[in-house]
Amino acid sequence: MAPQIAREIPGNDEYRALRVAAGLSAMSEEGAATGLPASWCAVCVRDGGELIGMGRVVGDGGLFLWVVDIAVTPARQGQGWGRRIMQALMDEVHARAPRRTMVGLIADGTAHELYEKFGFKLVAPGAHGMLLRL
């Protein structure tokens, strides 16, 4: 059976494991337990029950939304799963978010090339993204 994408929130342990496997920073168990249920929208890609890709949108649902946690296991990278995850999330954003909602993200490396296909634009030099990591 081919991998399937579905609107669902990943489990705490599998979420944290996939982030690390995909080269994203590690997150705490406590943070995941608090944050994952608060997702505005989430999608998972599973192959035989195993989480091989995911993405989430977080925020207040009306004024500001952030695309986060776009991750695909290394063995499945380069097969279009990142694009399909983004498409599913953006379909939900366009269907549910009010007009003029600001949707943002932080693009690592060359990921901005994928996000530009969905209408995102680099903000520098007019603005600079900032992050405080606790």
Side-chain angles (χ1 to χ4, degrees), residues 14-134:
E14 64 181 357
Y15 162 81
R16 294 184 315 112
L18 181 56
R19 277 189 60 91
V20 171
L24 302 178
S25 58
M27 296 297 198
S28 72
E29 184 175 347
E30 178 184 22
T34 300
L36 290 174
S39 300
W40 185 80
C41 175
V43 297
C44 292
V45 180
R46 295 189 182 278
D47 187 3
E50 177 188 357
L51 184 67
I52 63 165
M54 66 181 179
R56 298 188 310 131
V57 175
V58 299
D60 61 26
L63 300 170
F64 297 94
L65 295 170
W66 280 90
V67 176
V68 298
D69 294 330
I70 305 298
V72 176
T73 192
R76 300 300 183 115
Q77 291 176 5
Q79 299 176 9
W81 287 110
R83 182 189 54 74
R84 284 179 237 163
I85 289 165
M86 272 301 293
Q87 186 65 61
L89 293 174
M90 294 310 296
D91 287 350
E92 194 74 10
V93 166
H94 289 293
R96 292 179 42 207
R99 187 175 164 273
R100 299 190 55 83
T101 299
M102 292 186 71
V103 183
L105 55 80
I106 296 175
D108 293 333
T110 60
H112 66 91
E113 295 170 0
L114 168 65
Y115 302 131
E116 287 170 344
K117 294 174 183 172
F118 292 92
F120 289 87
K121 294 178 176 33
L122 296 172
V123 296
H128 298 280
M130 299 177 78
L131 180 66
L132 170 64
R133 183 134 169 118
L134 300 178

